[in-house]
């Protein structure tokens, strides 16, 4: 069956992957991307594929609970994507890079990254002034994804205005109304994380 919406979203994820990989933010098959379709199904990257060289067959479908709808194996971190979609009905894309600045910054702070008084914060949805204080929580990494997903979801339901979260020593998650929105968030946040690492005096 011809599934135009799926194909369109898959093409957007492939293009986003090329951009993110071009910046060096998804090395060696790391990271994962998804987009939610109008009927609630989720287009997500197949486990183990290089995110800078995705082809249409590297994007598959799961249901809202993260179960494969086409027999293939989705990303190991699918439950983190479905948790974000559950919490934010307006979110239609989730992007997860393993980027250097977010990873490094998570080793320099404990608990959360605070971003404030940056003009670039206006790149985040709903923010129209630099005079803003954004809390980006940092969760310890965990290979038990269901346990990690539960912990993160508990945080997200208790806090408003969360735009992203970092997993320590690993990378970050952000989301948006569209793939383009989420990609803008990735680019802005990684830039701000980079500035924050420099503030910590880390030589690069
Ligand atoms: Zn990851």
């Amino acid at each position: 069956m011809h599934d135009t919406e799926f194909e369109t979203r898959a093409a957007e994820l492939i293009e986003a992957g090329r951009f993110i990989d071009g910046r060096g933010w998804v090395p060696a098959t790391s990271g994962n991307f998804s987009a939610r379709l109008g009927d609630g199904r989720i287009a997500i990257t197949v486990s183990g594929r290089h995110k800078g060289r995705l082809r249409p067959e590297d994007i598959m479908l799961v249901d809202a609970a993260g179960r494969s709808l086409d027999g293939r194996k989705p990303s190991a971190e699918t439950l983190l994507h479905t948790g974000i979609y559950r919490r934010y009905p307006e979110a239609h894309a989730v992007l997860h890079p393993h980027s250097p600045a977010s990873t490094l910054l998570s080793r320099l702070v404990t608990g959360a990254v605070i971003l404030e008084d940056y003009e670039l914060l206006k790149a985040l949805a709903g923010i129209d002034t630099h005079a803003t204080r954004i809390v980006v929580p940092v969760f310890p990494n965990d290979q038990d994804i269901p346990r990690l997903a539960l912990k993160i979801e508990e945080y997200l339901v208790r806090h408003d205005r969360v735009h992203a979260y970092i997993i320590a020593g690993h990378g970050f998650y952000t989301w948006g109304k569209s793939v383009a929105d989420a990609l803008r968030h990735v680019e802005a946040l990684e830039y701000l994380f980079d500035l924050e690492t420099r503030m910590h005096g880390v030589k690069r």
Side-chain angles (χ1 to χ4, degrees):
M1 200 183 75
H2 212 58
D3 192 338
T4 314
E5 190 190 10
F6 171 70
E7 287 169 7
T8 305
R9 293 291 91 78
E12 290 171 358
L13 292 175
I14 291 168
E15 196 186 327
R18 273 197 215 106
F19 176 84
I20 293 171
D21 180 49
R23 307 295 293 267
W25 299 338
V26 279
T29 78
S30 67
N32 36 74
F33 314 139
S34 72
R36 175 159 55 182
L37 309 186
D39 63 7
R41 290 177 303 160
I42 296 163
I44 190 163
T45 42
V46 173
S47 178
R49 302 297 155 87
H50 196 291
K51 306 310 175 301
R53 300 192 287 273
L54 291 169
R55 294 170 300 175
E57 58 268 33
D58 298 328
I59 312 290
M60 60 174 293
L61 282 166
V62 297
D63 67 11
R67 290 178 292 242
S68 175
L69 292 174
D70 60 15
R72 289 186 292 169
K73 187 169 172 278
S75 157
E77 294 173 31
T78 297
L79 292 180
L80 301 183
H81 291 248
T82 55
I84 289 167
Y85 290 126
R86 236 187 329 273
R87 169 67 177 88
Y88 304 109
E90 70 282 11
H92 282 86
V94 174
L95 297 174
H96 166 50
H98 286 201
S99 53
S102 66
T103 305
L104 180 54
L105 186 55
S106 72
R107 297 191 171 274
L108 301 170
V109 302
T110 33
V113 171
I114 309 297
L115 300 173
E116 55 188 334
D117 293 327
Y118 286 116
E119 179 70 12
L120 196 61
L121 285 168
K122 288 158 63 180
L124 302 178
I127 294 177
D128 54 12
T129 171
H130 67 280
T132 303
R133 187 174 190 270
I134 295 295
V135 177
V136 180
V138 179
F139 299 101
N141 200 8
D142 191 345
Q143 299 303 320
D144 184 333
I145 298 298
R147 182 170 63 194
L148 179 60
L150 191 65
K151 187 174 179 182
I152 291 171
E153 217 170 332
E154 279 171 3
Y155 178 95
L156 295 180
V157 296
R158 287 205 201 100
H159 296 81
D160 288 328
R161 291 169 56 82
V162 180
H163 292 81
Y165 60 80
I166 296 176
I167 304 176
H170 178 157
F172 73 102
Y173 274 80
T174 189
W175 46 90
K177 277 187 249 175
S178 62
V179 174
D181 241 29
L183 186 58
R184 194 181 69 248
H185 291 172
V186 167
E187 194 177 9
L189 287 164
E190 178 66 6
Y191 179 90
L192 295 172
F193 294 153
D194 181 50
L195 295 183
E196 287 290 313
T197 62
R198 293 173 197 229
M199 296 256 283
H200 283 266
V202 173
K203 300 277 186 292
R204 292 165 24 104

